[in-house]
Amino acid sequence: MANISNWSDELLIKILSYLPTKVAVSTSVLSKRWKFLWKWSPKLEFDDYPNTIGDFNLSKSSYLCQYFIYKILPFYGAPIIESLRVRVRLRTLQSKDFESWVGLAISRCARELSISYLPFYKEHEVLFPSSLFTCKSLVTLKLEGFKILVDAPRTVCLPSLKTLDLRHVRFLNQDCLRLLLQSCPVLEDLFIHRVGCDTLLGLVVHDPSLKRLSVHIDSTCSIGASIIVTPSLKYFNFEDSKVEDFYCKGFSYSIDHMPELEEANIVVLRNPQDLLESVTSSKRLSLRVAFNSTEKTVYREGIVFSQLEKLELFICNDDWSKLLVQLLKDSPNLQILSLIVDDVSFFVDLFYDGGGGDWIGMRVIDGKNEGLRLR
């Protein structure tokens, strides 16, 4: 086996890039040669979550975070950053902390920036540096934290951004998200998790190039409409935990048909009709609906899932059989059906013969398999 001392600096730096930054920095004590190698790693990662789980030590977490920001970053030497990832939990950060990370990301042409900031609830919001939203090199941007306040300036331009992940963040005004999305011409993957404090009255996603879209709407969100126009979408995930009641009458869906759709996952507590009409081209559909209806049909007549081959239906309301019958009738090319009972993890797989037009078997999975004939 070759002696590690004979390995090139390029190879050693490559190895260090797979380690958390604080681990990579610790290798500097090995020898004079290793003292500065970590500074050229194209990936930076700091995660203080392990220090704030269980019997955590906040003073230690605070010290490590400050050490990373003020002692390590100034000596970082790599001209290009492939990824900069920071996770901070249960401690307070200032605007200057975020500015140091964003400044480094911009100056080193970062391709990925991921920041998760989950402090105590009483802490003040931190305005995210608007300079980030003109970073031409950025391909992936992930922000998480209800104390992160996003202000997308009128000059926002992210020409290389393909993945945008926004979890629990707040927006300075109603135009921020719209400005941000319309300034990402090559965006392909969008994840938005809305919570009640995000200040949005509704969600508008209008993007002709988007390939994957995941939307989570928390039960605490304000009323408003979800307007989605994404004709090139391949994957669609929509989870809405709001209940349709007296306080939620203003909430609605307006989702255009997605002709390129291959897979859809829908989780709602209300009538899924508007959502189902938009996903009729999907080949794979997972559906969890807690909606009880007195109507004979759950969605309007005339909706046909002509491309649907695999259906996964969660049984979690009294209408499951009515919805199942309707979906079977409107899915002429269905081959695999899975029925999942949430409370007992009971699975039923139906198999289609693919040619004769009859269901030929059912497999029940609850610790054993049983074959039944269906005719």
Side-chain angles (χ1 to χ4, degrees), residues 349-361:
D349 284 353
L350 295 178
F351 296 89
Y352 197 55
D353 67 359
D358 292 326
W359 290 96
I360 60 174

Side-chain angles (χ1 to χ4, degrees), residues 356-369:
D358 292 326
W359 290 96
I360 60 174
M362 176 173 70
R363 184 176 66 190
V364 180
I365 306 173
D366 61 347
K368 62 180 180 178
N369 293 338

